[in-house]
Structure formats: structure tokens, C-alpha cells
Amino acid sequence: MSTAKEIGTALAANLATILSTNGYKTDMGLRVYKGRRSLDDSLIPCVVLAELPDQVADAVQHGTQILVTQQYVMEAHVPCDPNNPNDAAHDAIEDMKRLVFQGLKEVGNLGRFFSDKIKTMKYVGKAILPRQDGTAYVGAALTIECTFRETLTSP
């Protein structure tokens, strides 16, 4: 399994812990999808984990060791007050930040990846996604960037 897939799998497993019964503000962890693009109301609350194109540094011709920078986007879809959707969106963003940055060394195996495989993890940004007026759910995204070393012959 590639390092990018391992990190994505660990992120997805940890995202599944975002439940109000675990002290979070949302229940986006009820459904975690890796790369799903189409959603309908029956799938909400949920979180979709997407991987953006990676960037490679220090690649050498005929070399097999590379330094990879991979961005992961966590896109939450949660119920909201149709008149004040940003409140629920900010709760979702707070939950994701708390999971990734505060819980990094405490929750699941994401902490293991940070100490063993991920050289750096940084916050890239957040967004509240556009929605149709009157809908009872809102989307919010958090983007992080992980840098790790990979051997191309045994990713």
C-alpha cells in the first residue's frame, strides 16, 4: 500500500470518530467516504476525504527515493439551520481541526503516521461551500498538506 493511501486510510478511520458522543459538535463521522463525488440528502451527515494531485521534490533521474507533498481535503456535509448555515459549517471545521491537530498524537493511528512516516503536516485552509438557499445542510472543507518520503519501487 502506498504511503499516500496509508495516510488517507488513517485519516478516514480517525474522521469516523467525529461524533457528538465522542465530544464533537457534529456527527459527520457517521459516514466517511474516500473520494465520493455525488451525495444526496440520505447520506448526510458525512465527510468526504479527497486527495489533490501530489507534488514531488528532489526527484532524480533513475532514482527511486522522492519527497512527496500531498494535500488532503476533508469535506464535511452536516445539517444546519437554513437561515444560519455558517454556524454549523464553523462547527464542522472546528471538529476537523481538533481531530487533525489536537488529536494527532491521541486518536487512532494518525499519530503513529505523523511520527513514523509524515515529515510535516500543515494547515492549508478552510472553506464554507456554496449551497442552495433553504437546504437543511451545509458543506465545509479543511485542507491539510502532508510531506513524506517515498520509495517508488516499494511505495
Side-chain angles (χ1 to χ4, degrees), residues 34-92:
K34 293 191 277 183
R36 186 176 182 123
R37 293 182 54 133
S38 179
L39 297 173
D40 62 51
D41 292 356
S42 70
L43 302 176
I44 295 170
C46 70
V47 60
V48 177
L49 179 64
E51 296 178 35
L52 300 180
D54 64 9
Q55 298 176 355
V56 178
D58 74 357
V60 257
Q61 190 174 13
H62 306 295
T64 60
Q65 275 283 323
I66 58 172
L67 188 64
V68 178
T69 299
Q70 176 73 57
Q71 288 188 349
Y72 295 88
V73 180
M74 295 160 275
E75 186 177 293
H77 298 271
V78 295
C80 69
D81 171 356
N83 293 319
N84 299 291
N86 285 8
D87 292 343
H90 283 288
D91 288 346

Side-chain angles (χ1 to χ4, degrees), residues 6 17 19 29 33 52 57 62 64 84 86 96-97 107 117 124 127 143 151 154:
E6 282 186 273
T17 67
L19 303 168
Y33 303 108
L52 300 180
H62 306 295
T64 60
N84 299 291
N86 285 8
M96 291 184 286
K97 284 180 179 178
V107 180
K117 296 194 177 202
V124 175
T143 304
T151 303
S154 60

